[in-house]
Amino acid sequence: MAELREVQITEEKPLLPGQTPEVAKTHSVETPYGSVTFTVYGTPKPKRPAILTYHDVGLNYKSCFQPLFQFADMQEIIQNFVRVHVDAPGMEEGAPVFPLGYQYPSLDQLADMIPCILQYLNFSTIIGIGVGAGAYVLSRYALTHPDTVEGLVLINIDPNAKGWMDWAAHKLTGLTSSISEMILGHLFSQEELSGNSELIQKYRNIIAHAPNLDNIELYWNSYNNRRDLNFVRGGDTTLKCPVMLVVGDQAPHEDAVVECNSKLDPTQTSFLKPGKLTEAFKYFLQGMGYMASSCMTRLSRSRTASLTSAASIDGNRSRSRTLSQSSESGTLSSGPPGHTMEVSC
C-alpha cells in the first residue's frame, strides 16, 4: 500500500521577496523491487511534464538537489513545473538499515520502479535530471520508456559497465580504503580530495557517519555492477529525447561523459562544461518549447558555454575539477577546489 505524509519544508536560505516556503508531500509506494520514497513539490501544470530528479551515490535528494532548486535563477522554473525528487531505496532521511542479506535492486530495477511512481501520481511524461548513478538510472528508464521522457539532463554520467581493469582497481582500492573514501573518490577529483577543503571534510563526515551507511554501500555496489547502456549513434539503442550532458573539466567522469556524447544523436544532444547550469537548464527547456518568454541573458548573448554536441567551453575556460553548483551564484564553479560539490552535483 502507498503511504502519504506531508511535511513543511523550512528554507535554508533567505526567501526572495514575495516567496513563501514550499510544502513538500512525501510518498512511499510499493514496487516489484521494494518500496521507493519520493517527494513532490508544487502542483501539476496543464500540458507540462514533471521534473523528476534522481541523486548520486552517497547523497539523497536533499543533499544533491536542494541547493540547486533554491537558487534565485531557478524560481521561474519552480513556478512552471511540478518536481518529483526520488530517493533511491534506503537513502531517504530516517531510512532503516536493511537486514543482513537484503538483495538491493540493480540500477536497471531502480529504473523499473519509476513507472510505479508516475502511475501513482498520474503523471504521463517527465523531464529527468540525474547525477552519477541517478543519471544512469534515468537513462535506462528512457531507453525502455521513451514515450514518457521529454528530455534528460545527465550530470557526470558513466554509461559503461566496469571492465576487468576497473574491477581489479576497485577491488584493490577496497582493501585499503573505506566505503566512504571510495564514494568520495567517485564524487570528487583526487586533487580536491588532496586539498581536503572544508567542503571535502563536510561530505567525508556526512558519509562516514551516516546512520544508513550500510544502505549506501548497497547502492554503491549496485552502481559498480551496472550493465553497459550500449548507446549507439544512429542505432536502435539510443536516447530519443533531447539530452543535456553536463560535466566539469577534469572531473572523475569527464572521459565517460565525452564518450557518451560521441554515441548520442548530435541533433538531440547538448554538451555543457563549466558555465551557468541554471541558465543552461532554462535554455534547454526553452529549446523544448517551454518557457519561451524566459530571459536568457547570459547564454543567449554570449558563447560562454557551448550547447552543441561537439564543443565545450571556449575562450576563458574554467578549470573546475568536478562538476559543481556554487551555492552563491548557480554556476559551475570556476574557483579553487573546495567550492565544487553542490547540485551537489
Side-chain angles (χ1 to χ4, degrees), residues 39-247:
T39 303
V40 181
Y41 288 82
T43 56
K45 305 299 187 291
K47 300 181 179 179
R48 293 205 170 187
I51 292 176
L52 185 143
T53 70
Y54 215 112
H55 62 87
D56 203 353
V57 176
L59 307 170
N60 57 31
Y61 95 82
K62 286 187 177 180
S63 58
C64 193
F65 292 106
Q66 201 168 63
L68 172 65
F69 284 96
Q70 287 179 341
F71 292 135
D73 288 348
M74 291 294 288
Q75 300 313 302
E76 185 178 6
I77 293 174
I78 287 175
Q79 295 167 8
N80 282 277
F81 293 89
V82 62
R83 310 194 314 276
V84 181
H85 297 291
V86 181
D87 278 315
M91 303 303 118
E92 68 274 12
E93 290 186 349
V97 175
F98 291 121
L100 187 65
Y102 176 80
Q103 183 63 47
Y104 197 82
S106 67
L107 295 195
D108 290 9
Q109 291 170 335
L110 293 180
D112 289 339
M113 291 180 170
I114 295 177
C116 299
I117 297 173
L118 300 186
Q119 182 180 15
Y120 177 86
L121 295 172
N122 196 27
F123 292 169
S124 56
T125 60
I126 64 168
I127 294 171
I129 307 178
V131 182
Y136 180 103
V137 170
L138 291 181
S139 296
R140 176 63 71 185
Y141 172 75
L143 288 175
T144 54
H145 299 82
D147 293 340
T148 68
V149 182
E150 295 195 24
L152 288 174
V153 178
L154 304 176
I155 303 166
N156 287 346
I157 185 173
D158 187 344
N160 304 313
K162 280 187 174 292
W164 287 109
M165 294 298 293
D166 295 322
W167 263 112
H170 177 71
K171 291 297 184 183
L172 288 174
T173 302
L175 295 175
T176 58
S177 301
S178 65
I179 291 297
S180 59
E181 289 300 318
M182 287 192 287
I183 292 174
L184 285 171
H186 165 75
L187 298 174
F188 295 93
S189 71
Q190 286 304 310
E191 183 173 345
E192 287 174 313
L193 293 174
S194 298
N196 198 31
S197 66
E198 289 185 11
L199 189 65
I200 299 295
Q201 294 177 41
K202 169 188 171 182
Y203 278 93
R204 177 176 284 115
N205 184 65
I206 289 174
I207 297 172
H209 297 95
N212 63 336
L213 183 58
D214 289 345
N215 295 356
I216 293 173
E217 182 176 358
L218 293 175
Y219 187 21
W220 173 242
N221 290 340
S222 287
Y223 176 69
N224 286 306
N225 283 291
R226 65 189 180 277
R227 295 192 301 148
D228 199 315
L229 288 174
N230 291 314
F231 289 144
V232 178
R233 177 172 287 185
D236 293 333
T237 307
T238 191
L239 298 174
K240 308 294 186 183
C241 62
V243 177
M244 183 167 78
L245 298 173
V246 187
V247 70

Side-chain angles (χ1 to χ4, degrees), residues 8-11 15-23 75 78-79:
Q8 183 74 33
I9 298 298
T10 302
E11 296 286 349
L15 296 175
L16 300 175
Q19 185 182 358
T20 57
E22 291 187 285
V23 174
Q75 300 313 302
I78 287 175
Q79 295 167 8

